[in-house]
Amino acid sequence: MKRVLLLGGTGDALAIARNLPAPHVYSLAGLGRVPADLACSVRIGGFGGIDGLVGYVREEEIALVVDATHPYAAQMSRHAHEACAIARVPLWAVRRPAWQPQPGDDWREAADWRGIVERIAAFRRPLFTLGREPLAHLDEIPASQYWTVRCLEAHPGNERANVIDARGPFDLAGERALFDAAGVDVVVSKNSGGRATEAKLAVARERGLPVVMLARPELPEAGRNFDDAASARDALERWLDPT
Ligand code: NAP
């Protein structure tokens, strides 16, 4: 039996995992929710770097690795690429296309946290929607700013920051209400792609607000690439049962 290791942590990965029977494996870093209703095996936690992943692939007799991690989970993607080359196992990747600016958008790219801080310096009420990273900088908030940080972590915030622990999808009405309540004057985002979290971009557009977009990291080439879960699922079905 050809055994698949699916590297997950995204909605696309979960959609693929829902179609995978045992003994295939769905792997999660262990930061978010762990689905309890999958037919395939679920493993949690890192592999221990490239060597650990090579060992896992060999011991578990994995015949194909599918990297469906988030486009900003670059370390895991690099490790998968290296490990598959060493273990001589094919690697596929599911990578959501990046959002593209539309007429009326005012996007300003930042390469890293420092670039983000520079680009929001002139604003007062940034909304951060790029995960946990702002939490490490709550003590550095300038007196002129009040931050709203939406991420998947319960955190008390401080007198200069409100942390909202919320998981997408987010719709237009909800995003408009958040922008109103928080007085948002600039949005800080990853370019995650996909539908679940794009409403904030539409609200920024309709209000003429800038979006500081953290640049996507460089990701290694995979043997096959898929834009979405459905095409990856179809290819997997054919690969598992070519008859
Ligand atoms: P990362 O920086 O690329 O990876 C850090 C380490 O976490 C990896 O070296 C690996 O540990 C472990 N890891 C990551 N994904 C794993 C997986 N699917 N299964 C087993 N171990 C995994 O990743 P990250 O940005 O922290 O993201 C962690 C997880 O959250 C990923 O599953 C990703 O898909 C998901 N996620 C990330 C973002 C984001 O913006 N970065 C957003 C939404 C969801 P070892 O080296 O020990 O193997």
Side-chain angles (χ1 to χ4, degrees), residues 4 8 11 14 31 49 51 53 55 59-60 63 92 98 106 110 131 143-144 173-174 220 234:
V4 176
L14 184 58
L31 304 175
D51 292 346
L53 183 52
E59 276 160 34
E60 298 295 324
W92 294 1
D106 174 8
S144 59
D234 289 349

Side-chain angles (χ1 to χ4, degrees), residues 5-11 13 26-32 43-50 52-53 67-79 96 130-132 152 190 192:
L5 172 64
L6 173 64
L7 303 172
T10 60
Y26 182 44
S27 174
L28 290 166
L31 304 175
R43 70 164 297 287
I44 309 293
F47 297 94
I50 296 168
L53 183 52
D67 174 13
T69 57
H70 192 271
Y72 285 75
Q75 180 166 304
M76 187 67 251
S77 292
R78 279 196 296 272
H79 288 186
R96 276 179 271 168
L130 38 62
R132 272 176 273 265
L152 294 177
K190 286 179 174 168
S192 300

